[in-house]
Amino acid sequence: MPTREYTVAVLGASGAVGQQILRNLEERSFPVKELKPLASKRSAGKTVRFRGEDVVIQEATPEAFEGVDIALFSAGGGVSEKFAPEAVKRGAVVVDNTNAFRMDPEVPLVVPEVNAEAIRNHKGIIANPNCSTIQMVVALKPLYDRFGFDRVIVSTYQAVSGSGASAVEELRKQSEAALKGEEVPKEIMPVGKLDKHYQIAFNALPQCDVAQENGFTLEEMKMVRETKKIFNDDNIGVTATCVRVPVMRGHSETVYVELKEDFDLEEVRQVLSEGKGIILQDDIDNQVYPTPLDAEGRDEVFVGRVRRDVINPRALNMWVVSDNLLKGAATNAVQIAEHLVSLDS
Amino acid sequence: MPTREYTVAVLGASGAVGQQILRNLEERSFPVKELKPLASKRSAGKTVRFRGEDVVIQEATPEAFEGVDIALFSAGGGVSEKFAPEAVKRGAVVVDNTNAFRMDPEVPLVVPEVNAEAIRNHKGIIANPNCSTIQMVVALKPLYDRFGFDRVIVSTYQAVSGSGASAVEELRKQSEAALKGEEVPKEIMPVGKLDKHYQIAFNALPQCDVAQENGFTLEEMKMVRETKKIFNDDNIGVTATCVRVPVMRGHSETVYVELKEDFDLEEVRQVLSEGKGIILQDDIDNQVYPTPLDAEGRDEVFVGRVRRDVINPRALNMWVVSDNLLKGAATNAVQIAEHLVSLDS
């Protein structure tokens, strides 16, 4: 048992990920001395539920971080850029769930199953990777250690909850309207801040973030860049196509990976099944494979459809599923905080 | 104008694809002298609408093919195996939309935009490829002609209508129940004839057909084998992962393709935009790309998200969408029949 307890701030406490962080802190018995739920002025004064009590949300201000030991940020990149330095100045360690600092060379980008040791090098901020990256690197880690790999080609099937609770509500409303043959409201998907909005209900949208100069989207380039940084290996090549599908919660990915060595498929399954944070569900003959609906509410990464490629005998194909709000966000952030705490003891 | 008119049988006339075939024959002004809608005993006596008239469905029997010139089959592989030889014996040319004869070396497998010339070699049966294969090869054809390619890695986002009208109804019912928080009926997806059924509403299922010995599914191996046969090129390597998504109609695919030559991306776009049967919708900066909902009811194959790969500069990534009941089935079959007719004149 840790002897020390911590004052923990959760910035974005009323959001989809913030809510899951609170639940994770509670379920994983994180040593919280005091919880400080923080949010924008608009949400301040509302309450969140924590350990059976209602805790009042305070407005996020620089001063709100006085006395905070660990601050879990999940309120958007702009908010992180504004408040992370303020929290650090006041002695907090920030675990940031946004894109603001991920590629900053001074900031460790951490998935504990892959590179927990990077946490030691933090200078006040530790970044939580993008949801799509996290589940992929967890699945790739045991393969990297045993066989090495050069190249990954990934296509995603991403849930709307990656765009927040309002996007989940939009999918519900659109689905209801479409089923009744009524006009479908389109206000958020695929990217809230962009001009054009498409129906996501009963549709698939090949855009999960803004466009980049090379024709890829930011979501796709996050997977490329973050994977190299997490493995600390610039030789890893990743090609990604990120697609939004009408799923509430849980991202799925088809992952093609070229290993560096010849492999025995049974050994690959063994290595995956023993991989940290992985649950192997792989028996297509008996229709056993993960689905986003089954992964909902679970902290692990689920891997199935493991098979040797038909063209390149050194390549593998897999289907990787995880709850984007948990391992893809809240769980990973709380796991980072747990590692931070373990460094104290 | 063709001087000849034809007696056309449509086997499976009451099914999802059969209905589209009737619509296509009518809309494309196919020279039908007499329409013979055929189906199982169960549907015989019902009527279908054709050119403003109700036409009675007859029971499919060997004798029903007497006097038929062209027979479009879309009633399942077993039915095709039983009746195609009977129809051919009676002088009909069969365009078969099932998997029964696709890999038969005596049977041409045809996507008119790619290999219309193969129709000339038929011995009574011409096979229509699998829906997922058709849209991919239409998109690949202009690239093949201009640059050549070795290798394709494809992930699919397939609509439930690929499993028939009852699967569409299942998605509707499941969606309604899920939105109300009621128990979700599971009877068909992912593969009607298999034991285990998963919820497809608000979910993604990495299985579109039965498992094969190599861990791939039949749907995936169809894409591998049919692509080689259609291009008449055994050097083409295809890796496929086929996934069912909660979309009513319209298949989408992420396609990674390694070209044989260096290329200029603008030339690739030009070549694609001039490709037969292709509509290029490719401007991510302005959020222009195809979606299955927009492709519904259209005969073409839509291509977007065209971009040079970040790792392999000779590789391209694309997003390919088409209506699986039209170009993926009915339209392609009727186009084959049109080519047959043109050989007569």
Side-chain angles (χ1 to χ4, degrees):
Chain A
M1 289 292 289
T3 47
R4 216 191 129 183
E5 291 196 315
Y6 300 80
T7 298
V8 178
V10 175
L11 178 54
S14 56
V17 173
Q19 289 289 314
Q20 296 301 325
I21 287 176
L22 295 179
R23 215 190 73 176
N24 267 30
L25 288 172
E26 189 172 326
E27 286 181 358
R28 299 172 75 97
S29 306
F30 193 85
V32 178
K33 184 170 62 189
E34 188 196 346
L35 177 78
K36 273 197 164 185
L38 302 175
S40 64
K41 201 168 182 172
R42 194 166 48 82
S43 293
K46 294 181 188 169
T47 60
V48 292
R49 204 72 191 158
F50 185 66
R51 292 187 188 160
E53 286 177 23
D54 290 325
V55 188
V56 178
I57 298 176
Q58 300 172 40
E59 185 184 347
T61 61
E63 297 70 32
F65 294 96
E66 292 288 353
V68 169
D69 300 306
I70 298 171
L72 302 162
F73 277 36
S74 193
V79 178
S80 289
E81 280 168 17
K82 183 173 169 192
F83 288 113
E86 299 291 346
V88 172
K89 203 192 295 176
R90 288 169 176 80
V93 180
V94 172
V95 181
D96 184 39
N97 198 38
T98 78
N99 194 40
F101 305 104
R102 285 179 188 151
M103 295 313 296
D104 184 330
E106 300 283 295
V107 173
L109 182 66
V110 177
V111 177
E113 290 87 343
V114 183
N115 65 338
E117 69 287 354
I119 294 174
R120 291 182 185 272
N121 306 323
H122 81 81
K123 292 171 180 167
I125 304 175
I126 300 161
N128 211 34
N130 181 45
C131 45
S132 312
T133 311
I134 293 176
Q135 68 184 66
M136 181 174 78
V137 299
V138 168
L140 290 174
K141 170 65 172 169
L143 300 174
Y144 187 82
D145 289 345
R146 171 61 188 83
F147 306 101
F149 64 81
D150 300 305
R151 178 78 201 273
V152 177
I153 298 176
V154 56
S155 293
T156 71
Y157 301 67
Q158 296 186 223
V160 295
S161 53
S163 300
S166 59
V168 173
E169 192 49 33
E170 182 176 73
L171 172 56
R172 291 188 67 90
K173 282 188 181 161
Q174 287 189 351
S175 301
E176 284 165 358
L179 289 166
K180 289 179 192 158
E182 293 171 359
E183 200 186 335
V184 169
K186 288 174 274 194
E187 290 167 4
I188 301 171
M189 282 291 130
V191 183
K193 65 186 169 195
L194 294 182
D195 288 343
K196 203 160 156 184
H197 298 294
Y198 284 91
Q199 177 177 330
I200 181 64
F202 306 111
N203 207 6
L205 305 177
Q207 176 171 33
C208 294
D209 206 330
V210 296
Q212 304 292 281
E213 276 188 10
N214 63 356
F216 284 75
T217 63
L218 181 56
E219 182 83 0
E220 290 158 357
M221 292 311 293
K222 284 177 187 170
M223 296 187 81
V224 175
R225 296 182 195 122
E226 294 178 11
T227 303
K228 290 177 197 274
K229 180 165 176 178
I230 295 164
F231 280 103
N232 191 27
D233 183 347
D234 274 341
N235 295 319
I236 294 177
V238 176
T239 295
T241 305
C242 292
V243 179
R244 195 73 69 183
V245 292
V247 169
M248 301 285 184
R249 196 164 157 174
H251 289 353
S252 310
E253 298 173 347
T254 62
V255 177
Y256 163 91
V257 53
E258 291 175 357
L259 303 186
K260 282 191 173 172
E261 289 180 23
D262 294 336
F263 62 83
D264 174 77
L265 195 57
E266 277 317 303
E267 188 184 356
V268 163
R269 288 209 178 90
Q270 186 66 27
V271 158
L272 284 168
S273 69
E274 290 167 359
K276 271 192 213 166
I278 296 175
I279 294 184
L280 187 69
Q281 297 180 324
D282 183 39
D283 180 5
I284 184 69
D285 290 335
N286 291 301
Q287 296 188 266
V288 174
Y289 37 70
T291 77
L293 212 56
D294 291 328
E296 194 173 321
R298 304 285 301 269
D299 287 321
E300 300 88 354
V301 172
F302 298 85
V303 179
R305 296 297 324 273
V306 180
R307 57 212 196 275
R308 187 187 300 277
D309 190 59
V310 283
I311 310 305
N312 181 345
R314 276 206 185 163
L316 266 184
N317 294 283
M318 308 188 284
W319 170 250
V320 178
V321 180
S322 194
D323 187 324
N324 56 308
L325 298 184
L326 292 178
K327 184 58 189 169
T331 304
N332 199 68
V334 173
Q335 285 172 330
I336 292 172
E338 287 171 347
H339 277 268
L340 265 174
V341 162
S342 73
L343 295 178
D344 273 1
S345 55
Chain B
M1 289 291 290
T3 46
R4 215 191 130 183
E5 290 196 316
Y6 299 81
T7 297
V8 177
V10 176
L11 177 54
S14 56
V17 173
Q19 289 289 314
Q20 297 300 327
I21 288 176
L22 295 179
R23 215 189 73 177
N24 267 33
L25 288 172
E26 188 172 328
E27 286 179 0
R28 299 173 74 97
S29 305
F30 194 85
V32 178
K33 183 171 64 190
E34 188 196 345
L35 177 77
K36 272 197 163 183
L38 303 175
S40 64
K41 200 167 183 175
R42 196 165 47 82
S43 293
K46 295 182 187 168
T47 60
V48 292
R49 204 72 192 159
F50 186 65
R51 293 185 188 159
E53 287 177 22
D54 290 324
V55 188
V56 179
I57 298 177
Q58 299 171 40
E59 184 184 348
T61 60
E63 295 71 32
F65 293 97
E66 292 289 352
V68 169
D69 300 307
I70 297 171
L72 302 162
F73 277 35
S74 193
V79 178
S80 289
E81 280 168 17
K82 184 174 169 190
F83 288 113
E86 299 290 344
V88 171
K89 202 192 296 176
R90 287 168 177 81
V93 179
V94 173
V95 181
D96 184 41
N97 198 36
T98 77
N99 194 39
F101 304 104
R102 285 178 188 152
M103 296 312 296
D104 185 330
E106 300 283 296
V107 173
L109 182 68
V110 177
V111 178
E113 290 87 343
V114 183
N115 64 337
E117 69 287 353
I119 293 173
R120 291 181 187 274
N121 306 323
H122 81 80
K123 293 173 180 164
I125 303 175
I126 301 162
N128 212 32
N130 181 45
C131 45
S132 313
T133 311
I134 292 176
Q135 67 184 69
M136 181 174 79
V137 299
V138 168
L140 290 173
K141 170 67 172 169
L143 300 174
Y144 186 83
D145 289 347
R146 171 63 188 83
F147 306 100
F149 63 81
D150 300 305
R151 177 78 201 272
V152 177
I153 298 176
V154 56
S155 294
T156 71
Y157 301 66
Q158 297 186 222
V160 295
S161 53
S163 300
S166 59
V168 173
E169 192 49 33
E170 182 176 72
L171 172 55
R172 291 188 67 89
K173 282 188 181 162
Q174 286 188 350
S175 301
E176 283 164 359
L179 289 166
K180 288 179 193 159
E182 293 172 357
E183 200 187 335
V184 168
K186 288 173 275 192
E187 290 167 3
I188 299 171
M189 284 289 132
V191 183
K193 65 186 169 195
L194 294 182
D195 287 342
K196 205 161 156 183
H197 299 294
Y198 283 92
Q199 177 178 330
I200 180 64
F202 306 111
N203 207 6
L205 305 177
Q207 176 171 32
C208 294
D209 206 332
V210 295
Q212 305 291 282
E213 277 188 9
N214 62 357
F216 284 75
T217 62
L218 180 56
E219 183 82 2
E220 290 158 357
M221 292 311 295
K222 284 175 187 173
M223 295 188 82
V224 175
R225 296 183 195 120
E226 293 178 11
T227 303
K228 289 176 196 274
K229 180 166 176 177
I230 295 164
F231 280 104
N232 191 25
D233 184 347
D234 274 340
N235 294 319
I236 293 176
V238 175
T239 295
T241 305
C242 292
V243 179
R244 195 73 70 182
V245 293
V247 169
M248 301 285 185
R249 197 164 154 172
H251 289 353
S252 309
E253 298 173 347
T254 62
V255 177
Y256 163 92
V257 52
E258 292 176 355
L259 302 185
K260 281 190 174 173
E261 290 181 21
D262 293 337
F263 61 84
D264 175 76
L265 194 58
E266 277 317 303
E267 187 183 356
V268 163
R269 287 208 178 89
Q270 186 65 29
V271 157
L272 283 169
S273 69
E274 292 168 356
K276 272 192 212 166
I278 295 175
I279 294 184
L280 187 69
Q281 296 180 325
D282 183 39
D283 180 5
I284 183 69
D285 289 336
N286 291 302
Q287 297 188 265
V288 174
Y289 37 72
T291 77
L293 212 57
D294 292 328
E296 192 173 322
R298 303 286 299 272
D299 287 320
E300 300 89 352
V301 173
F302 298 85
V303 179
R305 297 297 322 276
V306 180
R307 58 211 195 277
R308 188 188 299 278
D309 190 60
V310 283
I311 311 304
N312 181 346
R314 277 205 183 164
L316 267 183
N317 294 282
M318 308 188 284
W319 171 250
V320 178
V321 180
S322 194
D323 187 325
N324 56 307
L325 298 184
L326 292 178
K327 184 57 188 169
T331 304
N332 199 68
V334 173
Q335 285 172 330
I336 291 172
E338 287 171 349
H339 277 268
L340 265 174
V341 162
S342 74
L343 294 179
D344 272 0
S345 57

